Amino acid sequence: MKELLLFATLTLLCPQGNYASLILLGPEYPVLEGDYVTLQCLSDTESNMTDVHVEKFSKHLQKWFRVEPYGLFRRCFYYDLDISREPGRLELTIPSIQSFMEGPYRCVSDDAAFPYNSSLPLTVPVHYMRDISVSRLGVSSYSRYFSPMQDLRVRVGEDVEVDCSVSASQDPEYTWRKDAEDWLVLSSKLKLKKVRVEDSGSYTCTAQHPAVSALSKSRTISITVLSEDAPWYDSTQGRLVLMTSAAGVVVLLLIVSVSVCLCRRASAKNSKGPIDDHSQKKPIYTASVESLASTTGDKQPLV
Ligand SMILES: *[C@@H]1O[C@H](CO)[C@@H](O)[C@H](O)[C@H]1NC(C)=O
Ligand SMILES: *[C@@H]1O[C@H](CO)[C@@H](O)[C@H](O)[C@H]1NC(C)=O
């Protein structure tokens, strides 16, 4: 096996004809978002590498793009990168890699002819896991935006189904557990049938990235089971109804006041009296103070 590897390396590195071959090397460990990443393009000649550049394949445009510190690639997204060249070696450094920068890379020579003008593509995967969110299922979907899910209040005998989700570079493995109990649910969904008061407590959902053990997130919610005689508005659902109706009332009030305002305007337009007409200036009454300046400053006798 070792000999085979050595042989493969030698064939890759040996000059074939007059042309140099290029190989691209990347990180050996899983790359996480924000990592410092270096890609190396090696040539078997002592070329100063000025005719070699790195390209990245854009999945979106189905095209290879030149990666340059001040290229088109950079103008689309802001990020830092650096390219350094020394005899036989070009190095691309990305100080903080982001998920959109994942994909196949290759290095390309402007001078060499096919097939030595480019290296084999090297795929750089970028792993990440974003914030975890928990929402109650079976209840109308707006509860996802409304309810403060940290404390879910339900009535005794209700069915509760809670879903945990997170966006990650690969589908994570989910588990649900309850504080101070030894069971574990291997699913993103926690289903509690006909809850009893004893089901109250803290429940924690954990999402674990399948490939990177360091990527793990968890979120704890508390479920409070209300007794039969608790008022309806005490439950999360009841509060939701209250909140929604309050919002409805506010919207209704807004509509009513806007239409009243519009009606008043319309009726003001219809009455053509000079004093009611708002487009005209306020009338000045002859006996008022405002009329004095103009009458005393007037050279012409008033009569
Ligand atoms: C790199 O090498 C080419 C020819 O091989 C030469 O024309 C060019 O000036 C060199 N560039 C640098 C920066 O040394
Ligand atoms: C390499 O050369 C071939 C033949 O000239 C050409 O079709 C191909 O586009 C070149 N590849 C790159 C990456 O420039």
Side-chain angles (χ1 to χ4, degrees):
M1 189 64 199
K2 260 192 187 145
E3 285 81 12
L4 200 69
L5 268 181
L6 190 67
F7 178 71
T9 319
L10 280 179
T11 21
L12 266 179
L13 287 177
C14 276
Q16 316 209 353
N18 288 325
Y19 300 112
S21 56
L22 297 166
I23 48 172
L24 185 61
L25 302 175
E28 308 269 308
Y29 50 87
V31 177
L32 304 190
E33 211 169 45
D35 274 0
Y36 183 96
V37 170
T38 309
L39 301 182
Q40 281 185 19
C41 179
L42 303 178
S43 161
D44 51 349
T45 63
E46 286 298 297
S47 142
N48 60 16
M49 306 296 272
T50 41
D51 59 339
V52 176
H53 63 266
V54 179
E55 288 185 350
K56 182 190 176 291
F57 190 73
S58 159
K59 234 192 297 175
H60 180 57
L61 297 164
Q62 291 292 306
K63 247 173 97 171
W64 285 96
F65 275 98
R66 201 173 168 125
V67 178
E68 280 172 303
Y70 303 102
L72 170 81
F73 194 51
R74 171 147 173 160
R75 252 179 275 147
C76 300
F77 310 99
Y78 177 76
Y79 66 91
D80 273 330
L81 54 83
D82 190 46
I83 290 175
S84 69
R85 290 177 170 91
E86 56 184 77
R89 190 158 82 141
L90 178 149
E91 208 169 270
L92 170 76
T93 359
I94 308 171
S96 173
I97 198 163
Q98 299 303 312
S99 56
F100 67 80
M101 290 148 93
E102 78 165 7
Y105 285 79
R106 68 178 186 185
C107 55
V108 175
S109 164
D110 301 322
D111 277 0
F114 184 78
Y116 310 111
N117 55 358
S118 97
S119 72
L120 288 176
L122 172 82
T123 299
V124 180
V126 178
H127 295 296
Y128 63 89
M129 184 181 277
R130 311 238 187 275
D131 275 342
I132 195 165
S133 78
V134 171
S135 61
R136 185 173 178 192
L137 292 174
V139 184
S140 47
S141 61
Y142 61 86
S143 68
R144 181 181 298 252
Y145 309 104
F146 265 105
S147 78
M149 275 298 301
Q150 278 70 25
D151 184 21
L152 182 61
R153 302 165 72 83
V154 294
R155 294 165 71 83
V156 118
E158 261 183 55
D159 290 346
V160 177
E161 195 172 335
V162 186
D163 187 36
C164 179
S165 70
V166 71
S167 146
S169 50
Q170 282 175 37
D171 280 348
E173 287 146 12
Y174 293 97
T175 49
W176 272 104
R177 66 180 78 228
K178 188 182 177 193
D179 270 12
E181 294 205 13
D182 55 2
W183 53 257
L184 197 71
V185 177
L186 296 176
S187 160
S188 64
K189 286 186 179 58
L190 172 72
K191 291 180 193 172
L192 301 172
K193 292 265 173 223
K194 297 208 169 40
V195 287
R196 297 156 305 157
V197 175
E198 308 88 87
D199 291 327
S200 295
S202 296
Y203 293 81
T204 303
C205 170
T206 305
Q208 172 65 57
H209 195 283
V212 188
S213 59
L215 284 181
S216 165
K217 295 252 165 107
S218 45
R219 177 111 179 229
T220 302
I221 60 159
S222 92
I223 295 184
T224 309
V225 180
L226 304 167
S227 61
E228 203 78 71
D229 50 357
W232 66 272
Y233 50 81
D234 226 10
S235 68
T236 303
Q237 184 117 50
R239 283 181 187 179
L240 258 175
V241 171
L242 269 188
M243 269 166 72
T244 330
S245 9
V249 167
V250 168
V251 169
L252 199 71
L253 278 179
L254 209 71
I255 291 172
V256 167
S257 51
V258 165
S259 38
V260 164
C261 197
L262 286 178
C263 284
R264 277 207 186 150
R265 261 200 177 176
S267 59
K269 260 189 190 163
N270 287 341
S271 60
K272 284 280 182 323
I275 296 184
D276 284 340
D277 187 356
H278 292 284
S279 66
Q280 204 168 300
K281 274 197 181 148
K282 209 165 61 167
I284 297 172
Y285 296 94
T286 41
S288 73
V289 190
E290 283 156 286
S291 69
L292 280 181
S294 63
T295 45
T296 48
D298 209 339
K299 295 282 188 305
Q300 297 292 319
L302 274 174
V303 187

